[in-house]
Amino acid sequence: RFKQEYPATPEEAFQASGKMRLPSYVVALHKPRPPAIICELLTETVGRKEQLLLSETPTGSLRLWDEPITTGNYVIGCDVAEGEEASDQLDGSDLDYCVGDVFSWPVGLQCAQLRDRFSPAEFGGYLYDLGRYYNWALIGLEVNGAGQGALQVLLDKGYPRERIAKRVVYDGDGRPVGSKLGFKLGVNREMVISGLESALASPGDGGIIIRSQQTINELYTFHIIKRKAQAMSGRHDDCVFAPAHAVEAMKQAAEVFKSKPEQSAKPLAYRESMRQQLRESFR
């Protein structure tokens, strides 16, 4: 109550609010930690071999707490920007972000966060490098709308298909008939949010541990508004859904990490319709 009445930061004002979708005492379990490095992940060619290098820069898109260990397994949860405004001004000055959160598995410790205003194609390209850097991480990618563009780039560059989390597809009678790459929220939105809540409530015990100040801020301002869980006006929720997709992907991790990834020897060809979409995304 003291934090609500006399907040030291805007986020503290919401800690005691009954409108928060995720309980304040659950979010309070997670303490922000400054990243070890703020950087960009760059590709350098040495002879005939490419290698990935971290280039430190204060304006970098990547915040990194832990570099990958050789034997480590990692999961990346992704939220692709739909080009929507965070505020009601609609002046194009506060668009959504593309976010990719890297978690170790099975511990669930947040190791890195990629966050910037990328086009879907740019984000897909960066995710390819980030996933490769983290030992061909399992990627949980939302493919609603713009997410299809990021997925297509991952496939075109030859990312191992078995390291992209899948969703179950049902027929008209509700029977499972197969699976497809990527997640779609739709009617599963509340289920995904509840999964995130459960993972946040059990850090270090089968859940996840958040270190990003940006993520913690967005968890505090993720409220029930007009009977729907969403960011308050003027706030973002990209850093809420990225870890939520990581939690969903972790359900498949035990099976996925049993075998080594098989990278495509030859990138898939673009579909013409997708090629046109990617052209449009750069305008």
Side-chain angles (χ1 to χ4, degrees), residues 124-126 128-129 152-159 263-264 267-268:
Y126 212 132
Y128 175 87
D129 287 339
Q152 187 65 42
V153 172
L154 281 172
L155 295 176
D156 289 339
K157 291 175 73 68
Y159 202 84
Q263 188 184 15
S264 302
L268 302 176

Side-chain angles (χ1 to χ4, degrees), residues 219-259:
L219 292 172
Y220 277 125
T221 56
F222 189 65
H223 283 209
I224 302 294
I225 302 172
K226 297 180 180 179
R227 300 183 180 181
K228 181 181 178 181
Q230 57 189 308
M232 299 176 65
S233 179
R235 302 284 175 153
H236 296 275
D237 57 16
D238 317 291
C239 291
V240 174
F241 284 103
H245 293 313
V247 170
E248 287 298 302
M250 286 177 185
K251 298 175 183 177
Q252 305 173 28
E255 184 65 29
V256 167
F257 290 132
K258 284 182 179 179
S259 58

Side-chain angles (χ1 to χ4, degrees), residues 45-77:
T45 303
V46 180
R48 294 186 177 182
K49 189 175 181 180
E50 284 188 350
Q51 60 183 16
L52 293 168
L53 300 173
L54 298 177
S55 176
E56 186 169 7
T57 171
T59 59
S61 305
L62 183 64
R63 281 165 169 72
L64 190 143
W65 288 268
D66 295 312
E67 293 195 44
I69 60 175
T70 305
T71 58
N73 293 318
Y74 299 90
V75 176
I76 304 178

Side-chain angles (χ1 to χ4, degrees), residues 30-105:
H30 301 266
K31 307 301 180 185
R33 297 287 185 271
I37 184 174
I38 300 175
C39 57
E40 296 291 356
L41 186 58
L42 305 177
T43 303
E44 183 179 85
T45 303
V46 180
R48 294 186 177 182
K49 189 175 181 180
E50 284 188 350
Q51 60 183 16
L52 293 168
L53 300 173
L54 298 177
S55 176
E56 186 169 7
T57 171
T59 59
S61 305
L62 183 64
R63 281 165 169 72
L64 190 143
W65 288 268
D66 295 312
E67 293 195 44
I69 60 175
T70 305
T71 58
N73 293 318
Y74 299 90
V75 176
I76 304 178
C78 310
D79 186 72
V80 186
E82 297 284 345
E84 296 179 358
E85 283 279 344
S87 67
D88 298 328
Q89 301 301 316
L90 299 178
D91 60 359
S93 60
D94 196 19
L95 297 174
D96 283 342
Y97 288 83
C98 288
V99 177
D101 275 331
V102 182
F103 291 90
S104 60
W105 185 87

